Amino acid sequence: MTTREDEWAALLRAAIAGDGRAYARFLHAVSPVLRGIVRARGSSLPPDHHEDIVQEVLIAIHAKRQTWDSAAPLLPWLYAITRYKIVDAFRRRGNRVHLPIEDFAESLETAIDDPTVAHDSEYLLGQLDPRSAGIVRAISLEGETAGAVGKRLGISEGAVRVALHRAMKRMAVHVRRDER
Amino acid sequence: MKTHELIDRLSAETALPALHPRSIGLQIVTVVGVVSALFLLIAGPRDELMQAMSKPVVLTKTVLPAVLCLVALALALRLTRPERDARVLPLLLPLGAATGLWIWSYASQPPAQRFADVSVPALAECMGLILLLSALPAALALRWLSRGATTSPRISGALVGLAVAAGVATGYSLFCVQDNPLFFVTWYGAAIVIVAGLCALAGGRVLRW
């Protein structure tokens, strides 16, 4: 079992026992993994459908969270639910998708390298100014495009990308500082 | 709705009791047992049941569906966890035994006796009662199984249908006086397969999530 799996398993265990904060942290932590898989496999679908599918998977995890045997490893359970719902969501949109377990493992690795996942994302976002936090949340957690965020904030797409880059750098600094 | 809003909403919901496949299994066995017991209470078991059960062939008529019921139920309950894959290989044990019994019986009986018991009333009684008695337990079993998260809804449906119908056939065998394996293997088997097929179709809808 990986450290990541241990951490997520502890969160979900606490969540099943009724800890809403642990549950929110768990769902926030798995969201980028799901998003990565959906983006990687869903190039044939319009980007606005991607977040819908991520949300469908999150709802399925929520609805079936009691089926996880807390004495068993978490990742095979999470992978099975994710795979089932993503394949189902793509099929309902008229697309077929093959989702090998390697895809899941790769997305997981990516997520571990992502500072928004490696630490409590809400805590890290709290270290940023509200505008930067809003940009990171919109793009990295919600899956919005830089163009859409720029339009909403009244700035150019390039300025959004620069702000995102700087914010991510600042978050990475916090992660390293916390690890020491 | 934004994903973080969805997460906030989901995480606000209260705790959910953990899934216990064994208790689902116990519920299914209980309902099959109650329905079979009620049937035997109303119709009564066959005459001289204990004496008849001392014959291996008659005993097999009860033991074989009972084994099939338990194996199919265990496989169906296994699938309530989404990470478990569908397995049907263990079913080969009771199915192989039933096929072997049928072949042995066919080979050992004179042609005139092989299907002498087959008549419309006998078939209607045997198949009709197994189908009828399976209806309520199968519906309840599918509903209870939907608490799980099978990733193979049709296979789960078929397995639970197999378990329920085989369980009902076990109870029915204590009433049935047709002791020719060519009769009971064929017609019990047909009724069990029909229930399993219907439950597979229903499972595709009821067990999807």
mmCIF file of all heavy atoms in Angstrom, chain B residues 77-103:
data_model
loop_
_atom_site.group_PDB
_atom_site.id
_atom_site.type_symbol
_atom_site.label_atom_id
_atom_site.label_comp_id
_atom_site.label_asym_id
_atom_site.label_seq_id
_atom_site.Cartn_x
_atom_site.Cartn_y
_atom_site.Cartn_z
ATOM 1 N N LEU B 77 -22.778 -12.688 -4.038
ATOM 2 C CA LEU B 77 -22.393 -11.791 -2.934
ATOM 3 C C LEU B 77 -20.983 -11.249 -3.123
ATOM 4 O O LEU B 77 -20.691 -10.107 -2.791
ATOM 5 C CB LEU B 77 -22.502 -12.516 -1.591
ATOM 6 C CG LEU B 77 -23.918 -12.935 -1.186
ATOM 7 C CD1 LEU B 77 -23.890 -13.730 0.107
ATOM 8 C CD2 LEU B 77 -24.830 -11.721 -1.045
ATOM 9 N N ARG B 78 -20.118 -12.080 -3.680
ATOM 10 C CA ARG B 78 -18.751 -11.641 -3.976
ATOM 11 C C ARG B 78 -18.777 -10.405 -4.873
ATOM 12 O O ARG B 78 -17.990 -9.488 -4.728
ATOM 13 C CB ARG B 78 -18.054 -12.814 -4.677
ATOM 14 C CG ARG B 78 -16.640 -12.622 -5.021
ATOM 15 C CD ARG B 78 -16.145 -13.801 -5.881
ATOM 16 N NE ARG B 78 -15.255 -13.313 -6.898
ATOM 17 C CZ ARG B 78 -14.004 -12.939 -6.671
ATOM 18 N NH1 ARG B 78 -13.507 -13.044 -5.493
ATOM 19 N NH2 ARG B 78 -13.259 -12.463 -7.641
ATOM 20 N N LEU B 79 -19.724 -10.390 -5.811
ATOM 21 C CA LEU B 79 -19.790 -9.284 -6.779
ATOM 22 C C LEU B 79 -20.390 -7.996 -6.207
ATOM 23 O O LEU B 79 -20.450 -6.996 -6.909
ATOM 24 C CB LEU B 79 -20.593 -9.717 -8.008
ATOM 25 C CG LEU B 79 -19.843 -10.562 -9.027
ATOM 26 C CD1 LEU B 79 -20.766 -10.938 -10.177
ATOM 27 C CD2 LEU B 79 -18.628 -9.831 -9.562
ATOM 28 N N THR B 80 -20.826 -8.018 -4.949
ATOM 29 C CA THR B 80 -21.359 -6.769 -4.386
ATOM 30 C C THR B 80 -20.234 -5.755 -4.167
ATOM 31 O O THR B 80 -20.489 -4.574 -4.033
ATOM 32 C CB THR B 80 -22.081 -7.002 -3.034
ATOM 33 O OG1 THR B 80 -21.193 -7.686 -2.160
ATOM 34 C CG2 THR B 80 -23.362 -7.792 -3.228
ATOM 35 N N ARG B 81 -18.983 -6.228 -4.119
ATOM 36 C CA ARG B 81 -17.832 -5.324 -4.040
ATOM 37 C C ARG B 81 -17.377 -5.031 -5.475
ATOM 38 O O ARG B 81 -17.083 -5.966 -6.235
ATOM 39 C CB ARG B 81 -16.683 -5.971 -3.274
ATOM 40 C CG ARG B 81 -17.086 -6.486 -1.892
ATOM 41 C CD ARG B 81 -16.797 -5.482 -0.835
ATOM 42 N NE ARG B 81 -17.000 -6.033 0.498
ATOM 43 C CZ ARG B 81 -17.465 -5.320 1.513
ATOM 44 N NH1 ARG B 81 -17.782 -4.055 1.359
ATOM 45 N NH2 ARG B 81 -17.611 -5.855 2.700
ATOM 46 N N PRO B 82 -17.281 -3.763 -5.839
ATOM 47 C CA PRO B 82 -16.990 -3.458 -7.250
ATOM 48 C C PRO B 82 -15.634 -3.937 -7.747
ATOM 49 O O PRO B 82 -15.467 -4.178 -8.935
ATOM 50 C CB PRO B 82 -17.072 -1.927 -7.300
ATOM 51 C CG PRO B 82 -16.893 -1.466 -5.897
ATOM 52 C CD PRO B 82 -17.442 -2.554 -5.034
ATOM 53 N N GLU B 83 -14.675 -4.085 -6.830
ATOM 54 C CA GLU B 83 -13.333 -4.474 -7.264
ATOM 55 C C GLU B 83 -13.207 -5.971 -7.550
ATOM 56 O O GLU B 83 -12.199 -6.424 -8.070
ATOM 57 C CB GLU B 83 -12.285 -4.041 -6.223
ATOM 58 C CG GLU B 83 -12.317 -4.801 -4.904
ATOM 59 C CD GLU B 83 -13.286 -4.219 -3.886
ATOM 60 O OE1 GLU B 83 -14.256 -3.559 -4.289
ATOM 61 O OE2 GLU B 83 -13.071 -4.441 -2.662
ATOM 62 N N ARG B 84 -14.257 -6.726 -7.210
ATOM 63 C CA ARG B 84 -14.207 -8.174 -7.442
ATOM 64 C C ARG B 84 -14.672 -8.491 -8.860
ATOM 65 O O ARG B 84 -15.668 -7.947 -9.322
ATOM 66 C CB ARG B 84 -15.128 -8.896 -6.450
ATOM 67 C CG ARG B 84 -14.875 -8.559 -5.000
ATOM 68 C CD ARG B 84 -13.867 -9.522 -4.406
ATOM 69 N NE ARG B 84 -13.474 -9.122 -3.059
ATOM 70 C CZ ARG B 84 -14.129 -9.434 -1.954
ATOM 71 N NH1 ARG B 84 -15.229 -10.151 -2.038
ATOM 72 N NH2 ARG B 84 -13.686 -9.058 -0.776
ATOM 73 N N ASP B 85 -13.956 -9.390 -9.521
ATOM 74 C CA ASP B 85 -14.341 -9.773 -10.877
ATOM 75 C C ASP B 85 -15.358 -10.921 -10.838
ATOM 76 O O ASP B 85 -15.476 -11.627 -9.839
ATOM 77 C CB ASP B 85 -13.116 -10.157 -11.706
ATOM 78 C CG ASP B 85 -12.302 -11.249 -11.019
ATOM 79 O OD1 ASP B 85 -12.492 -11.431 -9.805
ATOM 80 O OD2 ASP B 85 -11.509 -11.921 -11.681
ATOM 81 N N ALA B 86 -16.075 -11.071 -11.956
ATOM 82 C CA ALA B 86 -17.113 -12.104 -12.017
ATOM 83 C C ALA B 86 -16.469 -13.476 -12.205
ATOM 84 O O ALA B 86 -15.612 -13.643 -13.063
ATOM 85 C CB ALA B 86 -18.050 -11.798 -13.173
ATOM 86 N N ARG B 87 -16.882 -14.413 -11.385
ATOM 87 C CA ARG B 87 -16.395 -15.784 -11.509
ATOM 88 C C ARG B 87 -17.573 -16.733 -11.604
ATOM 89 O O ARG B 87 -18.509 -16.624 -10.821
ATOM 90 C CB ARG B 87 -15.561 -16.165 -10.286
ATOM 91 C CG ARG B 87 -14.176 -15.586 -10.321
ATOM 92 C CD ARG B 87 -13.359 -16.153 -9.192
ATOM 93 N NE ARG B 87 -12.151 -15.363 -9.034
ATOM 94 C CZ ARG B 87 -11.377 -15.394 -7.975
ATOM 95 N NH1 ARG B 87 -11.695 -16.169 -6.966
ATOM 96 N NH2 ARG B 87 -10.296 -14.664 -7.897
ATOM 97 N N VAL B 88 -17.514 -17.628 -12.568
ATOM 98 C CA VAL B 88 -18.604 -18.602 -12.682
ATOM 99 C C VAL B 88 -18.067 -20.036 -12.665
ATOM 100 O O VAL B 88 -18.847 -20.985 -12.651
ATOM 101 C CB VAL B 88 -19.448 -18.366 -13.970
ATOM 102 C CG1 VAL B 88 -20.273 -17.101 -13.854
ATOM 103 C CG2 VAL B 88 -18.579 -18.300 -15.201
ATOM 104 N N LEU B 89 -16.757 -20.161 -12.635
ATOM 105 C CA LEU B 89 -16.135 -21.492 -12.687
ATOM 106 C C LEU B 89 -16.605 -22.439 -11.575
ATOM 107 O O LEU B 89 -16.852 -23.619 -11.845
ATOM 108 C CB LEU B 89 -14.605 -21.339 -12.644
ATOM 109 C CG LEU B 89 -13.813 -22.293 -13.532
ATOM 110 C CD1 LEU B 89 -14.210 -22.165 -14.985
ATOM 111 C CD2 LEU B 89 -12.318 -22.083 -13.354
ATOM 112 N N PRO B 90 -16.763 -21.949 -10.327
ATOM 113 C CA PRO B 90 -17.223 -22.874 -9.268
ATOM 114 C C PRO B 90 -18.592 -23.504 -9.552
ATOM 115 O O PRO B 90 -18.923 -24.535 -8.975
ATOM 116 C CB PRO B 90 -17.290 -21.980 -8.024
ATOM 117 C CG PRO B 90 -16.301 -20.899 -8.291
ATOM 118 C CD PRO B 90 -16.397 -20.637 -9.771
ATOM 119 N N LEU B 91 -19.360 -22.878 -10.454
ATOM 120 C CA LEU B 91 -20.674 -23.455 -10.782
ATOM 121 C C LEU B 91 -20.526 -24.779 -11.525
ATOM 122 O O LEU B 91 -21.479 -25.560 -11.600
ATOM 123 C CB LEU B 91 -21.474 -22.478 -11.654
ATOM 124 C CG LEU B 91 -21.982 -21.211 -10.980
ATOM 125 C CD1 LEU B 91 -22.616 -20.296 -12.005
ATOM 126 C CD2 LEU B 91 -23.004 -21.562 -9.899
ATOM 127 N N LEU B 92 -19.353 -24.987 -12.095
ATOM 128 C CA LEU B 92 -19.146 -26.222 -12.865
ATOM 129 C C LEU B 92 -19.289 -27.470 -11.992
ATOM 130 O O LEU B 92 -19.650 -28.525 -12.486
ATOM 131 C CB LEU B 92 -17.770 -26.211 -13.530
ATOM 132 C CG LEU B 92 -17.611 -25.251 -14.711
ATOM 133 C CD1 LEU B 92 -16.218 -25.354 -15.306
ATOM 134 C CD2 LEU B 92 -18.659 -25.543 -15.786
ATOM 135 N N LEU B 93 -19.027 -27.318 -10.697
ATOM 136 C CA LEU B 93 -19.114 -28.475 -9.788
ATOM 137 C C LEU B 93 -20.554 -29.017 -9.744
ATOM 138 O O LEU B 93 -20.790 -30.167 -10.138
ATOM 139 C CB LEU B 93 -18.608 -28.100 -8.399
ATOM 140 C CG LEU B 93 -18.727 -29.173 -7.323
ATOM 141 C CD1 LEU B 93 -17.678 -30.270 -7.529
ATOM 142 C CD2 LEU B 93 -18.575 -28.570 -5.930
ATOM 143 N N PRO B 94 -21.548 -28.204 -9.311
ATOM 144 C CA PRO B 94 -22.918 -28.747 -9.306
ATOM 145 C C PRO B 94 -23.467 -29.005 -10.711
ATOM 146 O O PRO B 94 -24.178 -29.988 -10.918
ATOM 147 C CB PRO B 94 -23.736 -27.665 -8.585
ATOM 148 C CG PRO B 94 -22.913 -26.448 -8.625
ATOM 149 C CD PRO B 94 -21.492 -26.874 -8.698
ATOM 150 N N LEU B 95 -23.104 -28.146 -11.676
ATOM 151 C CA LEU B 95 -23.623 -28.347 -13.037
ATOM 152 C C LEU B 95 -23.038 -29.611 -13.664
ATOM 153 O O LEU B 95 -23.736 -30.355 -14.348
ATOM 154 C CB LEU B 95 -23.313 -27.123 -13.917
ATOM 155 C CG LEU B 95 -23.997 -25.821 -13.503
ATOM 156 C CD1 LEU B 95 -23.631 -24.687 -14.444
ATOM 157 C CD2 LEU B 95 -25.516 -25.991 -13.452
ATOM 158 N N GLY B 96 -21.757 -29.850 -13.390
ATOM 159 C CA GLY B 96 -21.110 -31.065 -13.889
ATOM 160 C C GLY B 96 -21.732 -32.300 -13.264
ATOM 161 O O GLY B 96 -21.973 -33.302 -13.950
ATOM 162 N N ALA B 97 -22.003 -32.218 -11.961
ATOM 163 C CA ALA B 97 -22.617 -33.355 -11.262
ATOM 164 C C ALA B 97 -24.007 -33.641 -11.825
ATOM 165 O O ALA B 97 -24.376 -34.808 -12.039
ATOM 166 C CB ALA B 97 -22.698 -33.049 -9.769
ATOM 167 N N ALA B 98 -24.763 -32.571 -12.093
ATOM 168 C CA ALA B 98 -26.112 -32.739 -12.645
ATOM 169 C C ALA B 98 -26.043 -33.357 -14.045
ATOM 170 O O ALA B 98 -26.816 -34.278 -14.371
ATOM 171 C CB ALA B 98 -26.830 -31.389 -12.697
ATOM 172 N N THR B 99 -25.107 -32.882 -14.842
ATOM 173 C CA THR B 99 -24.963 -33.422 -16.201
ATOM 174 C C THR B 99 -24.554 -34.894 -16.138
ATOM 175 O O THR B 99 -25.094 -35.739 -16.876
ATOM 176 C CB THR B 99 -23.896 -32.614 -16.985
ATOM 177 O OG1 THR B 99 -24.226 -31.233 -16.884
ATOM 178 C CG2 THR B 99 -23.841 -33.026 -18.444
ATOM 179 N N GLY B 100 -23.618 -35.202 -15.243
ATOM 180 C CA GLY B 100 -23.170 -36.587 -15.085
ATOM 181 C C GLY B 100 -24.312 -37.493 -14.660
ATOM 182 O O GLY B 100 -24.472 -38.598 -15.191
ATOM 183 N N LEU B 101 -25.125 -37.000 -13.725
ATOM 184 C CA LEU B 101 -26.268 -37.783 -13.247
ATOM 185 C C LEU B 101 -27.256 -38.038 -14.387
ATOM 186 O O LEU B 101 -27.797 -39.142 -14.525
ATOM 187 C CB LEU B 101 -26.950 -37.018 -12.099
ATOM 188 C CG LEU B 101 -28.155 -37.674 -11.457
ATOM 189 C CD1 LEU B 101 -27.771 -38.986 -10.768
ATOM 190 C CD2 LEU B 101 -28.805 -36.733 -10.426
ATOM 191 N N TRP B 102 -27.478 -37.014 -15.198
ATOM 192 C CA TRP B 102 -28.426 -37.128 -16.320
ATOM 193 C C TRP B 102 -27.923 -38.185 -17.307
ATOM 194 O O TRP B 102 -28.672 -39.062 -17.739
ATOM 195 C CB TRP B 102 -28.561 -35.764 -17.006
ATOM 196 C CG TRP B 102 -29.749 -35.635 -17.923
ATOM 197 C CD1 TRP B 102 -30.961 -35.117 -17.611
ATOM 198 C CD2 TRP B 102 -29.827 -36.043 -19.294
ATOM 199 N NE1 TRP B 102 -31.801 -35.156 -18.699
ATOM 200 C CE2 TRP B 102 -31.121 -35.733 -19.753
ATOM 201 C CE3 TRP B 102 -28.943 -36.645 -20.180
ATOM 202 C CZ2 TRP B 102 -31.553 -35.985 -21.045
ATOM 203 C CZ3 TRP B 102 -29.373 -36.902 -21.483
ATOM 204 C CH2 TRP B 102 -30.669 -36.568 -21.901
ATOM 205 N N ILE B 103 -26.643 -38.090 -17.652
ATOM 206 C CA ILE B 103 -26.064 -39.026 -18.631
ATOM 207 C C ILE B 103 -26.087 -40.463 -18.078
ATOM 208 O O ILE B 103 -26.478 -41.395 -18.778
ATOM 209 C CB ILE B 103 -24.616 -38.604 -18.995
ATOM 210 C CG1 ILE B 103 -24.647 -37.285 -19.784
ATOM 211 C CG2 ILE B 103 -23.903 -39.686 -19.812
ATOM 212 C CD1 ILE B 103 -23.296 -36.628 -19.966
#
